[in-house]
Every structure is written in structure tokens, then in C-alpha cells.
Amino acid sequence: MSTEYQAIGNPPAGSIRFNTDSSKMEIYNGEQWWEIDATSPELQTGGTRGLVGSNYPVSNDIDFMNLDTTGNATDFGNLSVSRYGVSSSSSRTRGIFLGGETPSVSDVIDFVTIASQGDATDFGNISYNGHYSTSWSDGVRLVKAGGEAPSPAYTINSAEYITIASTGDAQDFGDLTEKRRRAMAIGSPTRMLICGGDSSPATKDTIDFFTFSTQGNAADFGNLSEGKHTGGGSSNAVTGFVSDPTDYDRITIATLGNGVSIADLSSARTSFASMSSRTRAVFAGGYSPSSPNPVTNIIDYQQFTSGGNFIDFGDLSTTFRNTSGLSNGHGGLG
């Protein structure tokens, strides 16, 4: 007969255990235990795969690319409903696109299997807001925050969540510290940061955060270097970039504090898709009203360890605007 003894105190960060209930290996991150992935983007898709979905005025297009290399994107398939202004995030295996406009407000949630090209399948419905919200996930739970429904006058502070591995309707998670739409999200496996946004006529520099494991209201994290909205958010598990049409801030996710302005995109634009691998941020498409060709197919990237301007990556298969991106290697997945 064996006896299991309770550990004395908290284990040090980096400790590993076998969970006999879930039959999974877990690692302690200094706050809680997390499952150790038994797979990786390299095994699943030959590298981190990024997807870009939805388009303005109304489209069901989805493109994909390998974020660990450079080159042009390729057609992946189609959303179940043509729309724009969606939000999105993902687990290692499943990509989720939520809400949008058709141009009427949509409550549709779609999912795709990231490793296999093909059309999206209905997942369920959102509750609070149709479009211009922001999303992030820890691989298990996806949280969608802020937005507007059905018009700019109805900007909200609500957040809702889904469990990615299942299907069904979104459930209430909590509230942001203030109402806003067109914010940008970054995060780690522990927390989601909601950065900037617009609560017309004010542009926000607010950064809020949620803890994925506990439902409840957002708490204050710090501030961006200036008000930003309708840009992009991209991160690995440690560092995030949050961009407006011209420049981007660097944020350290594990510690409360302010964003620091770093450098510029390769092309000034807004309303683009954001994706990430463990090493780089990738932004794709967007709208540049000062350009002779205001809607673009540009893809650019920057290493998280660098501090310079974004670099040309390649091109989307078509121009994308008011779109959203996801990947199977973003910071919420560790």
C-alpha cells in the first residue's frame, strides 16, 4: 500500500508533475499548473500556420501561410457566412472566427481545422456583440471582449467565452473596465490583455487584463504610449506588439506596466489581421486611405526580440480589409 503526501508550500516555477486525473504531464508556471503540449506547429503543419479570414465589403475568404518562413499566402477555404469585422483566435488544432457584419450584425461562430484546408463549420452563436470586438485564447478557453452591436452608438464592455474543443454558444465571462470597440488583444497562457480601443469620440490608451482560469471582470494593467484602435495585436507568451496605423508598442505580458513605442510598420495602414509564432509578429492586409491603392494585400513581420521596423513577408491572395487573423503558435499556447 502506498500513501500520497501533500506537498508543503508551492512548488518552484518550472516544476513538472503527472496529473493522474487527466493522464497529462503538467508544468507549474509560478501561479498554476498547465498541461504540457504533446504536439507542436512543426508536427501539425510543418511550421506555425497563420490564417486570415473575412473581408470588406462582405466576403467569406480565408487565406493561410507559414509564419516561420516568408512568401505569399494561399487560399484555405471559406467561412460559413460572408462577413467582415470578425474577431478570432485558436488552439493548436482549431481556429475560431466570431461575429462580424453581413452587413447586418452577425452572431455566427465558425471553426476550421488548422492543419487541413477546407471550409468553416458552424460552432454556435455569440451573445453580446456582433463586430469590432477582440479575442484571445489559452488553447482551451477563448475570450471575446468589447465591440459594438448593432451600431457605433452601442459600444459595449461585455466579455464572453467558449470552450474551443467543444461546440455551442458563448457564455458570459465578465466586463472590461470601460466600454470600447476596435481594441487589440495579446496574451500568454495565463492572461489576456485588451489594449486601446475606441469609445467614440475618444481613442483609448487603456490596457485591461483577464485571467483565463477565473471568470470575472477585467483589471487595470497599464497604458499604451498613446491612444490606439483598429490596429493589430500579436504576441508570444512573453512579449506583445500592439500597433495602430503607423507605429507599435512593446508590452511585457507577465508584469503590469505601460507599453513602450518602438518603431513602424512597413506600410501605414489600419484594419489588418494579426498573427504570431513563438518568434515573430505578422500583420496582413489592411486599409491605407492615403495610398493610391487603399486596400492592400501586404504581409509584414517583425521578430519579438527586435526593435526595428516591420519587414516585408509576402502578399495575400487578394486584398483584405476589416479582417482578422489567428495561428496555431500564438502566445496563449505557450
Side-chain angles (χ1 to χ4, degrees):
M1 179 178 176
S2 62
T3 303
E4 180 177 345
Y5 293 96
Q6 181 69 34
I8 300 174
N10 290 328
S15 298
I16 294 174
R17 73 178 185 185
F18 180 74
N19 187 321
T20 56
D21 293 326
S22 65
S23 297
K24 301 285 187 180
M25 295 296 294
E26 297 178 335
I27 187 168
Y28 191 70
N29 67 0
E31 296 177 348
Q32 60 190 85
W33 292 96
W34 289 95
E35 288 184 6
I36 298 174
D37 282 335
T39 185
S40 69
E42 289 73 24
L43 290 174
Q44 291 179 340
T45 50
T48 306
R49 177 171 286 188
L51 273 62
V52 176
S54 89
N55 202 353
Y56 181 86
V58 176
S59 169
N60 61 1
D61 296 333
I62 307 173
D63 266 14
F64 78 101
M65 68 213 77
N66 186 337
L67 303 186
D68 297 327
T69 62
T70 57
N72 295 334
T74 305
D75 179 66
F76 181 95
N78 300 110
L79 298 172
S80 67
V81 177
S82 294
R83 57 203 198 271
Y84 65 91
V86 304
S87 65
S88 61
S89 195
S90 54
S91 65
R92 290 269 187 231
T93 57
R94 179 176 280 190
I96 308 288
F97 295 95
L98 309 94
E101 285 196 76
T102 64
S104 59
V105 174
S106 174
D107 64 357
V108 172
I109 308 173
D110 280 352
F111 76 92
V112 296
T113 301
I114 296 173
S116 61
Q117 294 168 243
D119 295 341
T121 302
D122 180 65
F123 182 100
N125 300 100
I126 59 174
S127 302
Y128 291 122
N129 48 313
H131 57 300
Y132 300 134
S133 59
T134 192
S135 300
W136 199 260
S137 88
D138 64 356
V140 177
R141 176 177 283 182
L142 181 153
V143 177
K144 178 176 181 286
E148 65 180 54
S151 69
Y154 187 21
T155 303
I156 68 171
N157 66 345
S158 302
E160 52 193 317
Y161 76 97
I162 60 170
T163 301
I164 297 175
S166 63
T167 57
D169 296 341
Q171 306 294 317
D172 180 68
F173 188 91
D175 294 318
L176 297 172
T177 60
E178 57 186 331
K179 296 180 179 181
R180 49 204 160 114
R181 57 180 185 153
R182 301 177 185 264
M184 293 76 71
I186 58 175
S188 69
T190 306
R191 56 174 50 159
M192 170 187 182
L193 276 58
I194 304 92
C195 307
D198 167 53
S199 58
S200 187
T203 298
K204 300 295 185 180
D205 65 359
T206 305
I207 308 174
D208 285 354
F209 76 97
F210 287 117
T211 301
F212 282 110
S213 60
T214 57
Q215 293 168 239
N217 295 336
D220 179 63
F221 182 95
N223 298 95
L224 297 171
S225 63
E226 61 181 359
K228 299 180 186 292
H229 70 81
T230 323
S234 182
S235 79
N236 59 21
V238 177
T239 301
F241 292 161
V242 175
S243 173
D244 66 2
T246 56
D247 63 2
Y248 66 93
D249 280 12
R250 183 198 301 274
I251 299 170
T252 301
I253 297 167
T255 57
L256 305 185
N258 298 330
V260 179
S261 181
I262 301 296
D264 301 325
L265 304 184
S266 66
S267 172
R269 63 199 195 277
T270 186
S271 301
F272 50 83
S274 308
M275 299 156 285
S276 53
S277 70
R278 287 189 178 97
T279 59
R280 59 170 56 166
V282 179
F283 295 151
Y287 177 70
S288 179
S290 61
S291 170
N293 300 304
V295 184
T296 183
N297 64 351
I298 289 172
I299 310 170
D300 53 9
Y301 78 98
Q302 183 54 271
Q303 303 296 120
F304 286 116
T305 54
S306 300
N309 294 342
F310 269 60
I311 304 163
D312 181 63
F313 180 102
D315 297 310
L316 296 166
S317 67
T318 186
T319 56
F320 278 81
R321 170 189 172 188
N322 286 26
T323 186
S324 189
L326 57 88
S327 78
N328 62 347
H330 63 80
L333 305 176

